[in-house]
Amino acid sequence: MKPLTPTALAFSLLFGLPTVCLAGSADVVVEGAWARASIGTSRPGAAYMTLRNMGNDPVTLVGLATPLAMMPDIHESKTDANGVSSMTPAGEILIPPGESVALEPGGLHAMLMRLQYKMVEGETFPLTLNFADGGTVNIDVPILGIAARGPEG
Ligand SMILES: [Cu+2]
């Protein structure tokens, strides 16, 4: 890499180096994906997993797609000082190089709104993770029991 002139350095600090940010989704590994069975289709489902960035570049999860739900989105649950929990769209999720982000009950989760069919224990459904570099990661999410708390439970 050739040395940057002070002007070029200031420019790159100001606007970032796009070549550094536009890669990396191929290095994302998804571990421990699971979801709970649903009673029907009237209430949204949720899926959980750990996303690990094994690469040298930051990656940003920007969205989800699945034939199971017409409106999948990344949500974050929070509990306030009064013990009232609520959830909001989490927006984009940045995963720094070498780090992981957990989607788990009570925190970040893949919200599966407008279910197109019932989530049946023992089955799986396909989920596509879309990243800011245009890359995708496709996984099959195992559906556990209706009271499951995780892949081991
Ligand atoms: Cu949610």
Side-chain angles (χ1 to χ4, degrees), residues 75-77 87 109 111:
H75 276 186
E76 182 162 27
S77 295
M87 55 188 174
H109 53 278
M111 196 77 182

Side-chain angles (χ1 to χ4, degrees), residues 86-141:
S86 60
M87 55 188 174
T88 52
E92 301 184 343
I93 307 293
L94 177 83
I95 313 169
E99 299 199 12
S100 62
V101 168
L103 279 61
E104 55 195 2
L108 290 169
H109 53 278
M111 196 77 182
L112 306 168
M113 291 170 286
R114 298 183 65 185
L115 289 181
Q116 299 300 291
Y117 52 90
K118 186 179 160 180
M119 298 167 73
V120 177
E121 182 176 358
E123 295 187 352
T124 65
F125 66 90
L127 181 67
T128 300
L129 310 172
N130 296 317
F131 292 89
D133 65 352
T136 58
V137 173
N138 297 296
I139 61 169
D140 283 313
V141 181

Side-chain angles (χ1 to χ4, degrees), residues 5-148:
T5 65
T7 307
L9 181 61
F11 194 86
S12 69
L13 290 174
L14 207 56
F15 297 101
L17 290 165
T19 51
V20 175
C21 306
L22 291 174
S25 64
D27 298 313
V28 173
V29 174
V30 180
E31 297 169 345
W34 66 284
R36 282 192 195 100
S38 69
I39 294 169
T41 57
S42 59
R43 291 178 54 80
Y48 310 99
M49 68 205 71
T50 297
L51 306 176
R52 195 174 297 281
N53 182 358
M54 310 292 280
N56 299 313
D57 302 306
V59 293
T60 304
L61 178 66
V62 296
L64 306 169
T66 174
L68 171 64
M70 282 182 73
M71 290 179 58
D73 199 6
I74 305 148
H75 276 186
E76 182 162 27
S77 295
K78 283 183 180 148
T79 305
D80 69 13
N82 299 317
V84 178
S85 56
S86 60
M87 55 188 174
T88 52
E92 301 184 343
I93 307 293
L94 177 83
I95 313 169
E99 299 199 12
S100 62
V101 168
L103 279 61
E104 55 195 2
L108 290 169
H109 53 278
M111 196 77 182
L112 306 168
M113 291 170 286
R114 298 183 65 185
L115 289 181
Q116 299 300 291
Y117 52 90
K118 186 179 160 180
M119 298 167 73
V120 177
E121 182 176 358
E123 295 187 352
T124 65
F125 66 90
L127 181 67
T128 300
L129 310 172
N130 296 317
F131 292 89
D133 65 352
T136 58
V137 173
N138 297 296
I139 61 169
D140 283 313
V141 181
I143 300 171
L144 308 182
I146 209 155

